[in-house]
């Protein structure tokens, strides 16, 4: 199970939450496999966005991670 200190971690995308809610209403229980699949789907999208961002905004080799994060927050 995917828990953190505050409880079960649900998907962030509203569409995925709707899918999960419909599934719970149909089955009468939380399908952890579906929950995992929806979260994996979101994780893949996040990686795709990160890759596209790095292609559009390349950073110089050896730029420290802190500087990368700072620049992204500053210029986003």
């Amino acid at each position: 199970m995917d828990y953190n200190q505050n409880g079960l971690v649900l998907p962030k995308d509203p569409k995925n939450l709707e899918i999960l809610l419909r599934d719970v209403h149909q089955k009468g229980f939380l399908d952890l496999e579906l929950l995992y699949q929806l979260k994996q789907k979101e994780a893949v999208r996040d990686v795709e966005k990160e890759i596209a961002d790095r292609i559009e905004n390349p950073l110089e080799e050896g730029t420290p991670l802190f500087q990368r994060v700072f620049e992204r927050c500053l210029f986003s």
Side-chain angles (χ1 to χ4, degrees), residues 9-76:
V9 178
L10 296 172
K12 297 175 186 173
D13 186 353
K15 291 178 185 178
N16 288 341
L17 288 171
E18 288 177 19
I19 291 169
L20 191 61
L21 182 61
R22 273 188 263 134
D23 188 67
V24 168
H25 283 186
Q26 288 175 350
K27 294 179 181 176
F29 63 90
L30 177 61
D31 184 351
L32 294 177
E33 183 63 30
L34 176 61
L35 174 64
Y36 177 76
Q37 289 173 355
L38 292 172
K39 289 180 59 186
Q40 287 299 101
K41 187 170 110 178
E42 288 181 359
V44 168
R45 262 189 269 134
D46 291 343
V47 169
E48 289 173 344
K49 288 178 187 176
E50 179 70 25
I51 291 170
D53 182 51
R54 288 188 184 195
I55 290 170
E56 291 176 13
N57 302 310
L59 298 169
E60 293 180 23
E61 188 69 30
T63 304
L65 179 60
F66 174 78
Q67 184 177 346
R68 291 179 187 193
V69 172
F70 179 74
E71 288 174 357
R72 177 173 296 165
C73 292
L74 188 63
F75 299 115
S76 293

